[in-house]
Amino acid sequence: QKVRSLIRAGRNPREIVTGIYLTVLSRFPTKEELEVLRAYAESEAVQRQEVLIDVTWALINSPEFLYRH
């Protein structure tokens, strides 16, 4: 529910991604992670909402999430 409200809040993408990281991993994204996400978002293969959904699922399926939660 929290992630959905972040996506629908109409904030800028960086704020939304930071909120997703804080919600899922309880930490801020690194500079490198933000760069990877920016490049992915700028590719023409996906739309904005798809990027945010993909980020959320990637974090939930990450080893960091599995071992911390």
Side-chain angles (χ1 to χ4, degrees), residues 52-63:
L52 300 173
I53 292 168
D54 289 349
V55 168
T56 303
W57 279 112
L59 295 178
I60 290 170
N61 288 301
S62 71

Side-chain angles (χ1 to χ4, degrees), residues 9-66:
R11 297 180 178 164
N12 74 52
R14 187 179 180 128
E15 290 175 333
I16 296 170
V17 167
T18 299
I20 291 171
Y21 266 80
L22 289 170
T23 301
V24 177
L25 298 180
S26 302
R27 69 169 177 83
F28 289 92
T30 65
K31 184 178 181 179
E32 293 80 18
E33 290 166 333
L34 289 172
E35 279 299 311
V36 169
L37 292 172
R38 183 192 55 76
Y40 179 57
E42 289 177 356
S43 72
E44 295 183 14
V46 291
Q47 295 178 353
R48 177 178 178 230
Q49 187 169 353
E50 291 173 329
V51 171
L52 300 173
I53 292 168
D54 289 349
V55 168
T56 303
W57 279 112
L59 295 178
I60 290 170
N61 288 301
S62 71
E64 182 176 353
F65 179 80
L66 295 174

